[in-house]
Amino acid sequence: MKRILGIATALVLLGGGAVLAHGYKAGPIDIGHPWARATAPSAPNGGAYLSLTNTGTAEDRLVAASTPAAEKAELHTHLNENGVMKMREVPFIAVAPGDSVKLAPGGLHVMLLGLKKPLVKGERVPLTLRFEKAGSVEVELAVEAAGQSGSDHDHGHNAGQAGKQ
């Protein structure tokens, strides 16, 4: 009976691995479903999105990102200036203890500048995230359809603290 139970447990854990396969961890920071939209062949830039959850007891900050897929990666937010939406670079994205921050289209995101080739649906793109306290972690961006709104990835996370001290 114990052997059957052990085999059943292993099968459940292996089957559940596919669900957990797109989550990462850097110290107390859980990084959920990193993804990017597919880009047109002529698009010079793209965006990367994910969620950050701080399971620790101290604030941490996402301070940088990099990828071999682009010349540069910057942390950005969208701002409404006199009715015009504009993107602006931010120096960091703070994640308070016990809090979650969602990087999503129309809000906080990682801007991929100077793409070396188009982002193609179904591909995986490496992205290194650097946190002030948790250090660096490499994740893979799942490239999704160009029209992806991010609504499939909305798990109720708040807008976070971009560049606020």
Side-chain angles (χ1 to χ4, degrees):
M1 183 66 175
K2 286 183 181 179
R3 182 177 178 169
I4 293 172
L5 187 56
I7 292 170
T9 301
L11 289 173
V12 168
L13 290 174
L14 288 174
V19 174
L20 301 174
H22 209 69
Y24 301 86
K25 194 159 181 71
I29 305 295
D30 290 333
I31 302 154
H33 190 68
W35 66 283
R37 284 183 175 148
T39 58
S42 61
N45 305 320
Y49 314 101
L50 48 94
S51 63
L52 302 171
T53 301
N54 187 342
T55 63
T57 58
E59 178 180 277
D60 204 348
R61 296 174 177 182
L62 176 62
V63 294
S66 62
T67 178
E71 292 173 15
K72 190 174 186 181
E74 295 179 347
L75 307 178
H76 275 219
T77 191
H78 276 92
L79 301 172
N80 185 334
E81 292 183 358
N82 299 320
V84 178
M85 291 302 291
K86 296 181 179 184
M87 283 188 286
R88 292 286 185 259
E89 185 177 8
V90 294
F92 60 84
I93 297 172
V95 189
D99 206 0
S100 294
V101 176
K102 185 173 176 84
L103 282 67
L108 295 168
H109 60 282
V110 178
M111 193 73 197
L112 307 175
L113 302 167
L115 290 173
K116 295 178 181 174
K117 67 178 191 113
L119 300 177
V120 177
K121 181 182 175 187
E123 290 185 347
R124 299 268 181 168
V125 176
L127 178 72
T128 301
L129 302 172
R130 189 166 53 90
F131 294 89
E132 188 173 77
K133 295 177 183 161
S136 295
V137 61
E138 185 170 311
V139 303
E140 281 190 328
L141 299 171
V143 181
E144 300 182 5
Q148 178 70 41
S149 68
S151 60
D152 293 340
H153 311 291
D154 186 5
H155 302 290
H157 300 302
N158 67 30
Q161 302 290 318
K164 294 180 183 176
Q165 295 185 357

